[in-house]
Amino acid sequence: MKNKKGIITIIILVLILIALCFVLFIFRKDTKTNDYKKLEKMNYSTEAINKIFEEKIVDKVLDNEYSKTLDEAITTDEFEITNLDLYLNIDYINKDDYINELNKLVSIGYNIEEIELIIGKIDYADIKIINNYTYINDLKEYLEYENFKIEYLERYVNYRNNNIALSFNDIIKNVNMDLDKESYSDPKTVENTNDILMLINKHNKLPDNFEPENLEKISSKCTTKELLLNSEARKSFELMCNDIKSLGMNLRAISTYRTRDYQNKLYTDYSNRNGKAEADTFSARPRFSEHETGLALDVMGGNTTYTDFHKTDEFKWVEKNAYNYGFIIRYPKEKEHITGYKYESWHLRYVGKDVAKYIYENNITFEEYYEKFLLK
Ligand SMILES: [Zn+2]
């Protein structure tokens, strides 16, 4: 009898156990079904949901908002479980290799915040440039600046390594102006040679076959020589010259348009006399001279030599008024590190009234103006 009771007890216990398992099974299945429905409701694709279960990340995914990036990532071979937080938080971009690029950014060392910035600020095609480079600690700083150019990234980083005291703004500005390069080492050939705003300096040269059009002879009232200047610049210069004359002063053009051959002769003579290094501080090599554009001129005032122009009343007036005629003092004081030339009070460049006004009022060089508004 005792045995029978024992057997019954065991059977009951087993039945209870089976019932318990069944309840648990139903409950679990129910939870699974609920989670599945939640994920579906969130918008995840069936394929993604199955993977989410497979990867055992259901709770984590449910704790976050729907992520299209995760939806796409998890169904590809590129899915990396360690990058789950990134996939959950980063906006989706509809590109085949997007997940791959994201993974690379992580592997280089960028965190989610940095990657968000990269994705937000850089054209998609350019993310590869970042991915081809090592981790840049200050990338965030560089990206802040409007004139940041991704193609110069490596140059910014190298330049900063050698100029650690400069602000990021100056790093970007200077590199954009090619100041990280040796003068004449890697010049660009100017393309917009019909534009009065073309930039000619030690990093930007005229095309070999360039010859300016619209050259006109300057009135004998404003020069004692036979000199040519770009038509627009010529008209403006004569206006300025007449206005200054009406105030009892005398402004004369002494050197304006130069041919390449003439510029070559000038530079060669200076080099022979002073040595190349010295000549480079005040004379341009052929094709690198603004005088070859017909937009620049050297002037003289009073009865002094042109190198003393800064001492004359004419200069005092020109300094304050030339912008009204579209001219700037092209090589100002204390800007040698930007222009590449010693201060030349006598060298004027025609850029048109609006640009001249901006340059005058902001006390900047043409290089800086060009970097800010015209650099492509
Ligand atoms: Zn000059």
Side-chain angles (χ1 to χ4, degrees):
M1 283 304 267
K2 243 188 178 176
N3 264 352
K4 213 177 171 185
K5 227 177 177 181
I7 288 165
I8 290 170
T9 313
I10 287 168
I11 289 172
I12 289 171
L13 278 174
V14 168
L15 283 175
I16 289 172
L17 209 65
I18 290 170
L20 213 64
C21 286
F22 185 70
V23 167
L24 262 173
F25 175 74
I26 297 288
F27 180 74
R28 269 204 61 195
K29 202 177 167 197
D30 212 39
T31 315
K32 194 176 175 184
T33 316
N34 271 341
D35 288 347
Y36 197 100
K37 279 182 185 156
K38 278 185 200 160
L39 289 167
E40 256 184 342
K41 212 177 165 190
M42 283 171 87
N43 224 3
Y44 282 103
S45 64
T46 311
E47 202 187 348
I49 295 174
N50 290 333
K51 286 276 191 177
I52 288 168
F53 276 98
E54 221 171 89
E55 297 284 348
K56 300 190 175 64
I57 52 172
V58 179
D59 291 345
K60 176 106 189 178
V61 175
L62 286 175
D63 277 346
N64 286 271
E65 283 177 17
Y66 171 76
S67 162
K68 174 86 174 151
T69 310
L70 175 66
D71 201 333
E72 295 292 326
I74 201 161
T75 58
T76 66
D77 294 341
E78 267 103 48
F79 177 76
E80 287 179 25
I81 188 84
T82 46
N83 296 346
L84 179 59
D85 281 323
L86 175 65
Y87 303 142
L88 279 167
N89 287 294
I90 201 99
D91 286 344
Y92 182 66
I93 295 176
N94 190 9
K95 298 279 178 188
D96 285 347
D97 53 355
Y98 183 48
I99 305 304
N100 194 24
E101 295 294 343
L102 286 180
N103 291 343
K104 273 194 206 161
L105 287 169
V106 177
S107 69
I108 289 172
Y110 292 107
N111 62 34
I112 295 178
E113 193 196 340
E114 289 167 326
I115 295 174
E116 268 175 346
L117 198 74
I118 293 168
I119 300 295
K121 288 228 173 188
I122 294 177
D123 286 345
Y124 184 75
D126 294 333
I127 292 172
K128 281 189 169 54
I129 297 178
I130 305 254
N131 268 331
N132 281 332
Y133 205 68
T134 51
Y135 175 74
I136 299 165
N137 197 21
D138 311 303
L139 189 65
K140 200 176 153 190
E141 300 279 355
Y142 291 111
L143 295 180
E144 296 259 318
Y145 293 94
E146 205 185 322
N147 265 1
F148 167 84
K149 300 199 180 301
I150 185 79
E151 62 271 32
Y152 294 169
L153 183 61
E154 195 168 349
R155 288 171 60 194
Y156 295 140
V157 174
N158 291 338
Y159 187 68
R160 180 162 154 75
N161 286 340
N162 297 321
N163 297 277
I164 206 78
L166 287 182
S167 69
F168 281 94
N169 189 35
D170 283 344
I171 296 285
I172 289 175
K173 209 175 102 176
N174 289 358
V175 169
N176 288 355
M177 293 192 293
D178 296 319
L179 299 188
D180 59 325
K181 292 183 184 175
E182 287 284 321
S183 296
Y184 299 116
S185 64
D186 180 28
K188 287 172 225 157
T189 301
V190 168
E191 284 169 11
N192 58 338
T193 51
N194 287 323
D195 192 342
I196 59 157
L197 293 177
M198 67 174 128
L199 174 68
I200 303 296
N201 59 18
K202 292 177 179 178
H203 303 287
N204 295 277
K205 62 179 289 207
L206 287 163
D208 288 339
N209 59 1
F210 171 80
E211 271 177 45
E213 292 161 14
N214 306 320
L215 290 176
E216 290 176 3
K217 220 181 111 192
I218 297 178
S219 157
S220 59
K221 288 178 189 158
C222 302
T223 181
T224 52
K225 303 177 182 177
E226 289 259 316
L227 296 176
L228 298 173
L229 209 54
N230 162 284
S231 161
E232 204 179 318
R234 197 265 310 159
K235 282 181 203 129
S236 270
F237 176 67
E238 287 178 5
L239 270 181
M240 180 160 73
C241 159
N242 289 336
D243 285 355
I244 202 168
K245 199 161 277 177
S246 70
L247 296 169
M249 291 180 279
N250 186 16
L251 187 72
R252 301 183 298 286
I254 54 164
S255 178
T256 56
Y257 167 67
R258 296 172 192 161
T259 62
R260 187 226 318 246
D261 287 349
Y262 183 61
Q263 185 65 36
N264 188 33
K265 185 187 162 348
L266 271 181
Y267 178 76
T268 311
D269 287 350
Y270 286 132
S271 294
N272 291 339
R273 204 179 65 196
N274 304 47
K276 222 171 176 175
E278 175 67 16
D280 276 332
T281 67
F282 62 86
S283 178
R285 299 184 188 178
R287 292 287 94 170
F288 293 85
S289 171
E290 276 196 331
H291 282 281
E292 292 175 60
T293 66
L295 294 164
L297 74 161
D298 297 334
V299 295
M300 234 172 98
N303 297 313
T304 57
T305 57
Y306 74 97
T307 48
D308 277 338
F309 182 56
H310 63 284
K311 295 176 183 165
T312 64
D313 289 342
E314 284 82 358
F315 171 72
K316 279 181 199 124
W317 187 89
V318 164
E319 195 182 25
K320 289 199 176 67
N321 296 284
Y323 75 89
N324 288 318
Y325 302 85
F327 287 95
I328 55 166
I329 295 169
R330 180 67 177 86
Y331 307 120
K333 246 184 220 167
E334 285 156 24
K335 300 280 189 175
E336 291 90 339
H337 62 290
I338 297 175
T339 63
Y341 290 102
K342 280 184 187 166
Y343 174 45
E344 290 189 1
S345 59
W346 60 87
H347 180 108
L348 306 180
R349 160 73 194 264
Y350 185 72
V351 289
K353 280 188 200 173
D354 292 344
V355 177
K357 187 166 187 268
Y358 188 93
I359 288 175
Y360 173 76
E361 285 176 349
N362 291 281
N363 189 29
I364 56 170
T365 57
F366 185 47
E367 274 79 8
E368 288 164 294
Y369 180 89
Y370 198 91
E371 190 276 333
K372 195 171 170 67
F373 298 110
L374 301 171
L375 185 67
K376 291 196 184 92

